[in-house]
Amino acid sequence: MARRTTTPPTEDFEERIVDIDVSAEMRTSFLEYAYSVIYQRALPDARDGLKPVQRRILYSMSEMGLRPDRGHVKSSRVVGDVMGKLHPHGDTAIYDALVRMAQPFSMRLPLVDGHGNFGSPDDLPAAMRYTEARLASAAMAMVQSIDEDTVDFKPNYDGQETEPTVMPSAFPNLLVNGATGIAVGMATNMAPHNLVEVVAAARHLIKKPDATLDDLMRFVPGPDLPTGGIIIGLDGVRDAYARGRGTFRMRAKCVVEQVSPRRKGIVVTELPFNVGPERVVTKIRELVTAKKLQGISDLKDLSDRHKGLRLIIEIKNGFIPEAVLEELYRLTPMEESFGINNVALVDGQPRTLGLRELLQVYVDHRLDVVRRRSAHRRRKREERLHLVDGLIVALLSIDEVIQVIRSSDDSAQARARLMEIFDLSEIQAAYILDTPLRRLTRYDKLELDREKETLQAEIAELTEILSSDTRLRKVVSDELAQVAKTFGTPRRTVLLESSGVTRNAAVTLEVADDPCLVLFSSTGLLARTTDASPLPAGGERSAHDVLVSVVRSTVRGEVGAVTSEGRLIRVQVVDLPTLPPTADPPSLSGGHPVSEYVSLSPGETVVGIGSLDPDGPGLALGTVQGVVKRVVPDYPANRDEFEVIGLKEGDRVVGAAELTSEDHDLVFITSDAQLLRYPATSVRPQGRPAGGMAGIRLDGGASVIWFGVVDPARESRVVTIAGSSTALPGTQVGGAKISDYAEYPAKGRATGGVRAQRFLKGEDVLLLAWAGPAPVRAASAVGKPVPLPEELGRRDGSGLRLTHTVAAVGGPLGPTSGAPDDTPDDPPGGTSGAGQVPAPTPARD
């Protein structure tokens, strides 16, 4: 196939048609385009590690005087200067390259000092009209001595300007900052490294040119990424250093911390190279929404420019954080692969280079730069020495010089006569004529002598450098050491030799669903034990809280918290802190307040906890107004909270307990010291919305202060503490009495009960009451043990005065009772069944 080209006829020549083969034309044009992309745009030079656009930016900024000690200028001004003089490929490509050289998360050693929004791993930078830039200190090392004939220059695209073909590059920029680019038929992707390590390897290669790869890897063990992180497995790194190609895996740097009183979390402080936190957050949310990633309850990005990256991944209780972290590595960008492809231009040809070849190319370049710089400096000093010699001759014969000049007709004649009389060169004679007479003094003679000595010493030193390869290498090595000292920083990336194979965490992702006991104390603390073994019945109890409720469950199960307003709120057992098994009943000092797990309205308290097992025991409830209810355990599975009793206005639940047997008694104790017990069979179970039935008949002004469940087959006790209704709550210790539960006769439901304590002078109300299995223990409001009377009193007898205020009473298995001091008009609440009465739980704001 051919293309026909028609030239329109003119007056001077006739129409001409040229037949061109289209395939040949396409091949030629494509090769020219590919050549241009490879050599002029996409691939860096192995000597200075810069692409043409980067080199032009640095050179233009240097020529503009945008040094680190000068102010910033608009980025658009830099882009315009580069595009107008050197790089006619559009402002977008220039600004993108400028931005990347200013980003500390892209460059291990940034070359541009940017001012303004230069973007983040997730966000684009602001437009060039909003940002400012100048050269960074490291860039000055790149362009240092560029005006001393250290590199070659070539014409720019229109031949009106010149530009350097390579930068002097005082440090191995290609290895330090890496490079990435896509050309035609080839690409490059080079990892950044630590400046101090690379310089140490280069100096070793300078000292020992026959050094092996293993020798160099003692100095450069692996990449050092700008964002830090962890590199897993170094086999791919060694392959890349040997052959120029290899792959390694990058991981985020994470720690498992206690991010809240209830939960652990994974705190991410460093991410893989070229991975931003927003990308990680988006991926995690997608996986959690799709149910592909479990165990994450919350995700917060607390990163800022002062504290750096801080990504908090909160883990649900019951999940192993380390196992969740392995899943995050497997499913999210928190672990990424980096494919090294060290393609760079060497002598104008693209080559794939290993570590040794990259260092060798740089070292050869740097040796050439220092050699050319030394030759240039020696030449300049020789020229200056030649002039100084001429000035010294003129000073020695100053009168004759002046006479020759005065007697000459013009400067040309004066120059010729000076050359002839004093044996001067034309340059020396011209310089003498141009020198002011005020410089030709006795003091300038001394200065010229000192300058001559200095120049001769410098020329000798430079000659030594040029004539000795050993001396030249030492100069290059010393300069590299100085650069490393000036710009070097500690390593950021951790290197791990392990292959880092991700283990299958599906089995170990969650905590085992082992049996446990859920404990609720009188001061409102919740916790769980490590197993479901019964709490010991004997032994001395250490100073700790009294248990209100003890419920059997499993680690991944649920329990219900019953409140004084008749609500039941689900609580996840895995969210509770774990108490280690002890010989005594465990101390709940390590528990967490129940208010952290349930939301309570003002004045609402938790009166007990119970099982949510539909096949388990149901709840028995008692209210302040004497209502009793047995709840059918048909709890809705799709609701976190619901009512378990319909309360009348002004009424509230005073006790809640699990009814484990129909043979147990339901027991009420009132503020006027009346106790009523009757079999649980007297109350038929009701559904959740029901309001219960009459449980006890109350006299005027009396109210229920305690309700619970008691096993009549066990040896049980009744504890009552009387006091005055006019005293401030919690200020009086009262008179306590312990009596035998068997002395109280059983009566019918909704009757008045029997007297439980005789009031003494000054006593008119029960401050606290409890009934349950012996032996009996009491505790203060802060959980400290309080001694009770040892002997048993008569059922209707009076009490003995206590030495300390009692807030809760319990039996051997932990069920406690207790109600705060209050008046009959406002009866105390917060009691619970089965011998359990917690102190009021403060509502959550």
Side-chain angles (χ1 to χ4, degrees), residues 500-674:
V501 177
T502 304
R503 62 185 176 90
N504 185 1
V507 179
T508 58
L509 188 62
E510 299 179 1
V511 173
D513 196 19
D514 296 328
C516 66
L517 293 176
V518 181
L519 313 176
F520 178 53
S521 76
S522 60
T523 54
L525 298 179
L526 277 172
R528 61 181 169 92
T529 63
T530 55
D531 54 42
S533 58
L535 296 174
E540 293 296 328
R541 178 176 298 209
S542 58
H544 66 78
D545 206 354
V546 170
L547 299 180
V548 172
S549 300
V550 179
V551 177
R552 293 184 182 276
S553 181
T554 61
V555 173
R556 302 198 59 77
E558 296 177 327
V559 295
V562 182
T563 73
S564 58
E565 294 185 358
R567 295 191 301 153
L568 188 146
I569 305 174
R570 293 180 183 272
V571 176
Q572 302 293 327
V573 177
V574 294
D575 290 344
L576 306 180
T578 304
L579 301 179
T582 58
D584 280 341
S587 169
L588 259 73
S589 60
H592 291 166
V594 69
S595 58
E596 292 188 7
Y597 303 92
V598 298
S599 296
L600 303 174
S601 58
E604 185 180 16
T605 62
V606 174
V607 298
I609 61 174
S611 172
L612 295 179
D613 186 356
D615 299 326
L619 287 172
L621 309 176
T623 73
V624 170
Q625 297 179 0
V627 175
V628 66
K629 179 182 179 182
R630 289 178 57 186
V631 184
V632 177
D634 58 344
Y635 310 125
N638 58 347
R639 294 173 59 183
D640 291 334
E641 61 177 73
F642 43 83
E643 290 187 351
V644 289
I645 184 173
L647 295 174
K648 296 181 180 179
E649 184 177 356
D651 199 6
R652 56 195 176 93
V653 177
V654 74
E658 289 185 333
L659 185 62
T660 58
S661 173
E662 295 283 342
D663 297 331
H664 290 178
D665 288 344
L666 303 181
V667 183
F668 283 92
I669 303 177
T670 66
S671 60
D672 58 352
Q674 297 296 308

Side-chain angles (χ1 to χ4, degrees), residues 80-126:
D81 196 78
V82 173
M83 183 172 60
K85 294 181 178 179
L86 305 174
H87 195 77
H89 295 290
D91 56 352
T92 301
I94 300 172
Y95 186 56
D96 288 347
L98 174 69
V99 166
R100 187 178 186 278
M101 288 193 292
Q103 292 175 333
F105 52 86
S106 297
M107 306 282 281
R108 188 62 179 81
L109 189 62
L111 301 177
V112 173
D113 178 13
H115 181 68
N117 178 16
F118 276 78
S120 71
D122 293 309
D123 300 319
L124 295 175

Side-chain angles (χ1 to χ4, degrees), residues 107-259:
M107 306 282 281
R108 188 62 179 81
L109 189 62
L111 301 177
V112 173
D113 178 13
H115 181 68
N117 178 16
F118 276 78
S120 71
D122 293 309
D123 300 319
L124 295 175
M128 68 180 77
R129 61 183 178 274
Y130 300 120
T131 61
E132 298 177 341
R134 65 183 177 189
L135 289 177
S137 298
M140 299 305 297
M142 292 290 294
V143 301
Q144 185 179 10
S145 69
I146 195 173
D147 56 349
E148 294 184 283
D149 192 31
T150 52
V151 295
D152 294 332
F153 280 72
K154 65 178 181 179
N156 69 334
Y157 65 92
D158 61 1
Q160 298 184 13
E161 304 282 345
T162 59
E163 60 176 307
T165 58
V166 68
M167 286 292 183
S169 186
F171 63 90
N173 177 63
L174 186 57
L175 277 168
V176 172
N177 282 321
T180 180
I182 300 176
V184 179
M186 61 183 66
T188 184
N189 194 33
M190 306 181 68
H193 291 76
N194 185 272
L195 173 64
V196 177
E197 296 175 354
V198 173
V199 166
R203 295 185 67 195
H204 183 75
L205 187 62
I206 292 173
K207 184 178 180 181
K208 297 182 178 180
D210 57 347
T212 64
L213 177 61
D214 291 334
D215 295 335
L216 298 176
M217 286 190 67
R218 290 192 295 109
F219 302 97
V220 186
D224 187 22
L225 307 175
T227 54
I230 302 172
I231 291 179
I232 303 293
L234 301 182
D235 293 338
V237 173
R238 180 175 176 80
D239 291 340
Y241 287 169
R243 301 182 294 104
R245 292 184 181 179
T247 302
F248 62 84
R249 294 210 312 277
M250 306 173 292
R251 276 188 174 182
K253 186 177 291 185
C254 312
V255 292
V256 177
E257 296 181 359
Q258 193 77 29
V259 297

Side-chain angles (χ1 to χ4, degrees), residues 387 414-416 418-419 424-434:
L387 297 178
R415 181 172 60 250
L418 287 173
M419 294 170 57
L424 300 174
S425 67
E426 184 177 355
I427 296 176
Q428 289 175 322
Y431 187 71
I432 292 173
L433 290 174
D434 294 336

